[in-house]
Amino acid sequence: MIVVTATLLFMMLLFAPIYLKAEVVLYIEKLSAYISVKFGILRVFGEEIDLAGSKLHCEGTVNADVEIKTIDRKSSVDLLKCITVEKLYLSVLNNTAKLNIRYAIAQNTLLALATATACNLFHCQFFSECIGTTGEDRICAKTLINFSVAELSFCLLKQGVRKWKTCRSKK
């Protein structure tokens, strides 16, 4: 009886969803971004990324310079498959001093169409808005995502096997 209970608890923890809150702020003029990921009130990841030539300068949780050419796009696609987006809140902030009214109307129309399309295609809550601001132009996104430990483990194992095979074939 104890073994069955322990096995059930282990399986529940393995397949239970883990919820994370991600926040992304894109600064258009500076070509930089700020990414923050929280688990409840604990900050798991916080990174400020700047584009410097052909490198991404990362400062925060990971302090490194990453060549854009060396980023493996296949592995990121696999990781995105194991993540489920529950809610997405998108806010576009425009500087009202530089804003053309035609551009603002077109932006509001396109964002409303994108929101309606996203709500119809995907099974998540999607909110969007365009706001005038006195600061610099930026795009803010907040999202609630979930994943299970089993899905993430399988995805990382698959990615490791793929890299092991490519390293082995190069020798």
Side-chain angles (χ1 to χ4, degrees), residues 74-84 151 155 158:
K74 289 182 182 178
S75 65
S76 61
V77 169
D78 288 342
L79 282 175
L80 288 177
K81 287 180 184 177
C82 70
I83 293 174
T84 305
E151 284 178 319
C155 179
K158 185 174 149 183

Side-chain angles (χ1 to χ4, degrees), residues 69-155:
K69 297 174 188 174
T70 61
I71 296 174
D72 185 16
R73 293 184 181 145
K74 289 182 182 178
S75 65
S76 61
V77 169
D78 288 342
L79 282 175
L80 288 177
K81 287 180 184 177
C82 70
I83 293 174
T84 305
V85 177
E86 297 282 328
K87 294 179 184 178
L88 179 63
Y89 178 76
L90 184 67
S91 180
V92 179
L93 293 105
N94 295 311
N95 188 341
T96 54
K98 299 186 235 175
L99 187 62
N100 184 354
I101 191 67
R102 290 183 180 156
Y103 174 72
I105 292 170
Q107 189 178 42
N108 278 324
T109 305
L110 288 174
L111 199 56
L113 289 172
T115 301
T117 305
C119 286
N120 288 331
L121 291 177
F122 305 112
H123 300 290
C124 73
Q125 296 176 359
F126 190 81
F127 309 98
S128 64
E129 66 181 354
C130 291
I131 301 173
T133 183
T134 57
E136 60 186 310
D137 295 343
R138 62 188 179 274
I139 299 171
C140 301
K142 292 182 182 181
T143 183
L144 178 66
I145 58 177
N146 72 19
F147 62 92
S148 70
V149 175
E151 284 178 319
L152 187 63
S153 299
F154 179 72
C155 179

